[in-house]
């Protein structure tokens, strides 16, 4: 028996990605880090999951990129 086909998940548009980059840089400038217990690698994974539509915004303010 074959597994059901996965529905493609659309990625965030370039504008949403640029906004998230700006927010992340602004948070870092003001507060040093918004995730003091996370490693760089965890941040990369969180960002990539968000781009795939499978996780929180990397700055942690909201669930999913479509909200």
């Amino acid at each position: 028996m074959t597994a059901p086909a996965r529905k493609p998940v659309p990625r965030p548009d370039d504008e949403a990605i640029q906004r998230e980059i700006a927010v992340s840089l602004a948070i870092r400038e003001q507060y040093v880090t918004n995730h003091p217990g996370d490693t760089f690698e965890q941040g990369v994974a969180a960002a990539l999951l968000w781009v795939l539509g499978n996780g929180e915004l990397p700055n942690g303010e909201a669930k999913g990129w479509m909200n």
Side-chain angles (χ1 to χ4, degrees):
M1 180 174 240
T2 60
R6 289 184 57 178
K7 182 179 176 185
V9 178
R11 76 169 186 85
D13 61 25
D14 290 352
E15 185 178 324
I17 293 169
Q18 291 296 333
R19 277 193 313 268
E20 194 60 29
I21 290 168
V23 168
S24 296
L25 292 175
I27 288 171
R28 185 174 186 308
E29 281 182 22
Q30 188 171 1
Y31 301 108
V32 179
T33 181
N34 200 29
H35 302 276
D38 290 350
T39 65
F40 171 80
E41 293 80 3
Q42 288 169 311
V44 170
L48 293 173
L49 285 169
W50 172 69
V51 169
L52 291 173
N54 297 325
E56 279 186 15
L57 287 171
N59 70 22
E61 291 184 1
K63 284 280 194 183
W65 65 270
M66 295 169 50
N67 295 344

